[in-house]
Amino acid sequence: MNIRRGREADLPQVLGLIQELAEYEKAPQEVTNTLVDMQRDGFGPEPIFRFFVAEQPDGAIVGIALYYTAYSTWKGRMLFLEDLVVTENQRGTGLGRKLFDAVVAEARQTGANRMKWQVLKWNEPAIGFYKKLGAYLDPEWDNGNLNHEQLHTYVCHPAAEAAVQA
């Protein structure tokens, strides 16, 4: 099994793993991301994410760790691990640990002061995985989100709209 940086040619298999994760999380209808979006956002003129893959000798991708650089006003540069996915028949083989370690190594190499991620409260196997690694799961913070519809129907103050147009 090879752990390596992701390439544009990997994206169809990566999107397949993302859809597999959505099925596992009982929310397949929530995946609106497309291959075109991922090509633009990962390999276009202003890439906003990167990823590592776990690749079998035959070229099949059986795991991903997708991350991006974020910024904390208190801590500075950080990496946010958006998703760590290992296909079901490869779970428990150590691939998740290798992918997680690759993101940790990337955080160190890029000078990040923190690495963050989220895990669903009901996902006991993932919680156990992160605890086994010695990670701290913070109970103090709730996640805030605006979904697609809320984002587009939200009424911004005119001064804020003007600031974006300037």
Side-chain angles (χ1 to χ4, degrees):
M1 197 67 64
N2 183 32
I3 304 296
R4 63 166 173 79
R5 289 191 183 279
R7 301 186 287 251
E8 187 171 3
D10 299 328
L11 290 177
Q13 291 185 77
V14 169
L15 186 55
L17 283 170
I18 291 167
Q19 291 164 334
E20 182 179 328
L21 174 64
E23 290 282 342
Y24 175 76
E25 292 182 354
K26 299 169 183 58
Q29 72 286 353
E30 295 297 322
V31 178
T32 59
N33 204 3
T34 67
L35 188 56
V36 171
D37 292 338
M38 293 187 77
Q39 288 166 329
R40 177 196 63 224
D41 296 338
F43 297 91
E46 296 183 37
I48 58 174
F49 73 88
R50 293 185 178 160
F51 58 100
F52 290 99
V53 299
E55 180 182 45
Q56 292 181 324
D58 66 0
I61 294 173
V62 295
I64 62 167
L66 191 142
Y67 65 94
Y68 55 89
T69 301
Y71 197 80
S72 165
T73 56
W74 286 18
K75 302 295 182 188
R77 175 187 287 266
M78 67 177 179
L79 285 191
F80 192 91
L81 175 59
E82 178 64 25
D83 276 321
L84 176 63
V85 184
V86 174
T87 196
E88 187 173 7
N89 68 358
Q90 292 293 317
R91 293 182 193 145
T93 65
L95 287 181
R97 172 67 187 257
K98 290 176 183 176
L99 288 163
F100 187 86
D101 288 357
V103 178
V104 169
E106 179 77 358
R108 289 176 182 165
Q109 183 175 348
T110 60
N113 295 311
R114 176 189 284 173
M115 184 173 138
K116 292 187 79 165
W117 65 93
Q118 298 169 312
V119 60
L120 289 167
K121 291 181 185 284
W122 60 261
N123 192 344
E124 291 297 326
I127 290 168
F129 170 78
Y130 292 123
K131 285 184 176 179
K132 184 176 163 185
L133 297 178
Y136 173 69
L137 302 177
D138 192 336
E140 278 189 57
W141 293 86
D142 284 330
N143 297 307
N145 291 291
L146 292 176
N147 67 27
H148 182 79
E149 181 181 337
Q150 292 167 319
L151 186 62
H152 291 282
T153 59
Y154 183 89
V155 179
C156 293
H157 190 281
E161 293 285 2
V164 171
Q165 300 304 320

